Amino acid sequence: MTTRHKNPPLLGYADRLSARPGERIAFKVSSASPQPFAARLVRSISADPNPAGQGIVEKDASPYFPAQTFASVERPFHAGSYGIARSEVATAKGVDLNLSVKIWPTLRSGHRQTVLNIGTLDLRLDTEGAVALAFGAQTISTGRPLSLRQWHLIEARLEKGTWTLRQTPLGPAQAAPVEVQEDALAPLSLSGTPVIAAKWEDGRAEQHFNGKIEAPTVVADAQPLCAWDFGKQISSTTAQAITGPDLDLVNYPTRAVTSAGWDGAEMNWTHKPDHYAAIHFHEDDIYDFGWDTDFTFTLPEDMASGAYVMRLSCDGHEDAIPFFVCPPVGKSSADLCVLIPTFTYTIYGNHARPDFDPSWQKKFADWDAYPHNPAAYPHYGLSTYNNHSDGSGICHASHHRPLFNLRPGYVTFGNTDCSGLRHFQADSHLLSWLHAKGIAYDVITDHALHADGIAALRDYKAVTTTTHPEYHTAQTLDALRDYRDAGGHLAYLGGNGFYWRIAVHPENDSLLEIRRAEDGIRAWAAEPGEYYNAFDGTYGGLWRRNGRAPQALVGIGFAAQGEFFGDPYRRVCTDLAYDWVFEGIEGEIIGDFGFSGHGAAGFELDHMDYRLGTPEHTVLLARSVTRENGFMLVPEEQLTHLTNLTGGPAQDALHADMIWAEYPQGGTVFATGSITFCGSLPWNNFDNSVSRLFQNVLTKLLA
């Protein structure tokens, strides 16, 4: 769909979230103004717009990129996935035809939905959901809407001048086949580019189909003209042809989905791909806007590592495009590395929260916060925490489009009396604290860590996470484990970290996949049999279900979730050997304040579990004073309404554990187990017990 309504007049994105000196970033901008837009570069220190704190703090970075102007171009984008052949097909006039395809429709939209299109031939569902065929000026329909979420065989035959259109339910019969016949108006030839799941009209795809499609086949005069087996090359964006031209898949429809023959005997598509020979298309799939590049920026060799923002302005409108500068591999400029969770940012990209309310806009205006919310712009593509229009979960994510919630000043929770931040904006609480304390640091992103492994971390004395490093690949977990086991010092300052397994597309490293399998806090549930990632064939879902619980990496793991509020910690460690952690802190209560939920231990909490990998020698430094009735156990901890995995009352597991663990080769882990911990660091102008505690820890890690 081309969207020219409700759109911000100035908006852009970059082709990459992180780069190193010498590498180039391309910026793509849509500006509705006739005037040129301006671009200037700043370094991001604080992205929290809350006037009770620092507000947004940025430093001029024009020595790296002098301010410039560029011509404004308003750019459209088109949602909807489909497959388009790489060449045309054609037949002689008056040919006999036989078209067949299996479909699993998922949405009765009130619009036509094309299943197979070649030139003027259009096999589709009509506005009522019945099978219809248009060929030239003629249209016929079965007149009976198909049942949703059931397999059907669709056949259209032209023999001896008569069209026969037939729909047959597959599997347990719930309806009789329907067949209609009609004489052809005139002898016709078939000519054009085959398109699956959309109609090609005026140079673009229209009438997108919602649902699964399997085995489209076209036979002309008893000879195969074109046919495709979607059970081949499942990890690819190419649909391989049996006969005729291959298909390029546009907007990344979902592969590794069950097809008509799936019987539950095999759950892993790599073992029986013929049971996964379907593709699920959606009218709202969109993962790359494909905008032209307006300008590029090659990072200078002397550019300092950190978080940066390309700020755009035109006719009183503004936008801000964040990116992160990593140092060259093996050339660190500081002893401390901050791991920036760009995988998590991307997975949450454009999360339209169900509790969003337009009344929040007044608060945004009062704070001069970022004004746009994904809930108001669903046509820009939503996050993997949302659903497609047909109700299926969104399992792909990309940053090759504007991500509203990846902007300085974006507020996630507009109904709170705190800053209400998550992700990039909440992570800036840590970055601003490092600047306030004069602690030098580099940043490494998940994208860089996935690509470079332990080489990206090896030179650092300490590596710290930010608030919520939730999504990881095997490569990123391996790198962090290997760094720790080689004597590295790891600080985990978040909650619900190292939780979900994701896959990176083998042909496009900007595209991520998440399958929300049979456990965990889930925004949606994967269909039965669709738990394995299409991109790499690995079992999706929780890392815990893949044998790599967070406790095995950082000593603690996700246990409890609540609303966006926080409680304090209470010191429980009385061993004098660990007094250095609490030096300068009076009393047992730590962190009963903060810009994130007013407490250092809140929202999502992690705890120790020796059965899942917490080292036996782990020292429990402090434990949250968690309010009653404010949190619930995560599903993987709950067995029944009466029992849970801890064996005791649920309340005994609803807490955050602050721990210290030492490993055989000299590596250490300090972990806080709370998403809101970093929100307490800037409180009282960075002078508080949480700030003092972490400075004590970091001083030791960097010593």
Side-chain angles (χ1 to χ4, degrees), residues 45 208 242 300 351 383 499 579 611 638:
I45 309 301
H208 294 279
I242 302 171
H351 179 204
S383 80
Y499 191 63
D579 277 356
R611 298 165 300 172
Q638 190 79 37

Side-chain angles (χ1 to χ4, degrees), residues 489-507:
H489 303 299
L490 182 60
Y492 167 41
L493 303 187
N496 187 8
F498 316 104
Y499 191 63
W500 290 105
R501 181 174 196 156
I502 59 170
V504 178
H505 199 281
E507 299 168 357

